[in-house]
Amino acid sequence: MLNSDLIAYLQPAPSLFDALEWRDVTGRITDIRADRYTLRLSAVLTPGLYRCRLQTEDGAFDMETAMMPMVRVPDGKLDPVGPWDFDHINSVMAMPMARTYVNGRLVGGMWFDMPGPEDIERSRLNADFGFEAEAGVTELTLEFVERDRDRIDWPRVKFIEIREDERAFRELAPLSKHRPRIYMNPEEADLSRDHLADSLAFRTLIERINNGAQGTVDFDLVCFAYLMTKDADIGETIRTKVVELCRLPTWSGKPDPLVMGGENDRGIALKLYMIGLAWDWCASLFAPDEQTLIKGKVEEYIRKLYEFTVLQRAYMGCPTPDPHSLGTWNGTAIACMAFYEDLEVARKALPFFHGLFTDSLQVFPQDGKNVWVTYFPFHLIRYLAAAHTFGGMRPELQESSFLDRLGNAMLASFRAPNSQELQRGLRTREHRYLSSFLNRFHPTPGISSIYETFVDQERRSAGDVDLGLFDFLFAPRFDVAPAPFPSAPFFAKDIGSVTFASSGGIAGAFTAGLKAGRSVSFHIQSHNREFPPSMGGIQLSVDGSPVLVEINSYGLDSSLGNTMCFDDGGSYTQGQYLNGNAGPEKSSYIRRCLIGERFIYAHAVIKSELHPRHHVKRAERIVVVDLRTGAIVVSDSFEGDQPLLFATHLHCSGSVKDLGEGRFRLTGGQANLIAGIKDGDKGLSDEEKGEVFVTVLNGLNGQTVRIEDPIWHPTYIYGLNGKDDKQDIRFGRFPHYKRWRLEYESQVREGDFLYAITSNPGEVAAEDGVISFKDNATFQVGNHRIIGQSGCEIQAEAVISEAENQRLTLLGTRAFRQGDRSLTFAIPVDIELELAEDGFRGTIFASTSRCLEAAAGTQVSEWQHVPFHARSHSPWQASFRND
């Protein structure tokens, strides 16, 4: 029923007698008291969680006050970038903040949400926050902090809406009071001791710890080493570290504990995780007074993080795949498990966090591929393993399409470049962590071999394998052959991503979709809050070295992607720091994709990502990949209502050289593109690694290529924009990029580019609308005409022909005819067709089973529904052959 969950709707009601008066339209609020900076609301509510939504008037907030000056490359100038959520230079919130009290108790600082493009243009802010009502009268107090009072006050707020909160508490109770019970039970601990007795890797770990290298060993491994050995020296290391931590007055060391990264974020929860494992595995180490100290500190921080998570819905208080939120919940929830009998707040908070994790698992992409396939589920997996061992195998945590497909997604994506994962250095630790979990708690076909693949890969790359906790606990305990890296591409429809590795040494990724997954972007959070727009960008590596890369910059800048550029970039969120509140209608998508044995065809539409001021009516990219050679053909086109500067960009981490006649050489290098978290250069060099050749296929008539240094703002991890004494560009350690820009020489209302990216120059040619690959394979666009090919007449968007095996791939097909045999369709479908002397046979891929209008001389099978087809965008398929 409409508004059945509405509790109150409050709005300013100024009058001749009181300029600061407020009223509740519904009448549920029994007392409202307001001054310019403080608002107090009282009501008798059913105990539970409630959700508040707040919006300011248009023009109420000066966005310039939330901007920050960022050092830019290559000239070192300072540019304002933003608006920001957190001013990390000054450790204050860039968005306004209100201290929030429930019945007089401070529960946290409510931050305003990141504004979306429309909010920025209208100088308007929103907030989405929650609170917990208690028995009897609940008083909610919101008080703007002193430093924000010159830019926000209650007369500028348009309304406050209070509704019931849909977040669910789900009970999770321990199976046993015996310890350990997180990640293992006592019987499993005994079995692990027996298993590790002859383990060289475990002996090496003990030696590293005893030789004083414990600072290089993760604390959970140190705790594990003590649990297995009861070594007194290791135990003293644990006891000292935990007690010293619990004696600190605060864990953030920041003057304001209510800001991001203060007492309410992932770093705090990591400390709870450490203490939780130490308590569960090593509690006998602590004297009674130390135990009292530890319980007091853990109680303080569980309460802080519980109350903050209830409060700050829009940041980390709702189901999400975001690792900032998951990491915070994980540490807090595991501490709740460890102190379940000891602390009332642990028993109260655990069902809340268990509910968030349970709902979050359901919104992870169903095809197993996040935008960063290892990093995003990392904290989720740590929690799931703990919950299964603490409370037993949980059906709400086991039935997951995401987990079903995660192992193969990791394997298929490993060699494909990614703006985060390929730059993280040796990634196999995270791959092993996740595949170890699957092996123990969510077995999927071949997962033990997949795990061994990552072990083998790390051994080849580093000479040894640095085992983590999950390797010791959950990895396969028998020898198995490594699984081969798949040659077939991986299509993740949920995030609009195709990854591939060719026989020619080129691996790539093509993305046009919602990087956080459709469930999150449409139903839970603001659209892709953490990610730049996905506008059909291409990333490539050659023999494992990044060559074509997308530049990680402070501020959303679509001109730094390997995609089309309209004027200054073109995206709806151009120039912002984060996407903020942008609805699902603002998203690009892959409208058609078919992966064959040799070719990939993908067609992306990016119009919805573009700002309305550009008046673009149509903007799309078609990509064809030859998996045999790695050759890629890209067709970019647009049509608009007004002239625009139209270009397409490729960025490389090496150099660009003009070879003449529309051919160019682009190189890679700087394989470790992330220069270390917050400091350090990680050995960046200008050594070139890998090369590709780019050829403009339709000539440079009216077009030109410009080779330039892109302008971008290095993030704090490059040693700039984070330390007041090191803002000079001379102190920065950052990659150096080159941009290849194919552009029209003047503004145009419509335009199109056609170019090829190949391992060797001249591998692809174009003539009279036919694009030729090696071995007499061709590609041509239908463009509202009948295509004649191999004795067939085809009405389709595009046709790929492989002469050597008489194979045709028909994209967006409306009609196919060979002599008196024919198929006609009501909607466009994709077809794979094999020709023979006696006729043909093939497969139809369609969005619905009700697509066939007529068939002559052709038999069509029953339709099959394959919702997560690895090769096609369409979920229905049927086979056919001639009579």
Side-chain angles (χ1 to χ4, degrees), residues 9 297 522 637 756 763 802:
Y9 187 90
K297 184 60 72 172
F522 287 178
S637 62
E763 284 186 2
E802 302 172 52

Side-chain angles (χ1 to χ4, degrees), residues 37-69:
Y37 303 116
T38 304
L39 183 66
R40 290 184 178 87
L41 312 173
S42 296
V44 177
L45 301 172
T46 303
L49 300 186
Y50 292 85
R51 173 180 187 172
C52 303
R53 192 168 69 90
L54 179 158
Q55 187 177 99
T56 69
E57 297 281 0
D58 291 359
F61 183 73
D62 182 0
M63 292 293 172
E64 295 294 324
T65 66
M67 307 287 276
M68 291 170 57

Side-chain angles (χ1 to χ4, degrees), residues 537-551:
I538 298 173
Q539 299 176 78
L540 295 180
S541 63
V542 176
D543 296 329
S545 295
V547 176
L548 297 186
V549 297
E550 295 199 339
I551 300 174

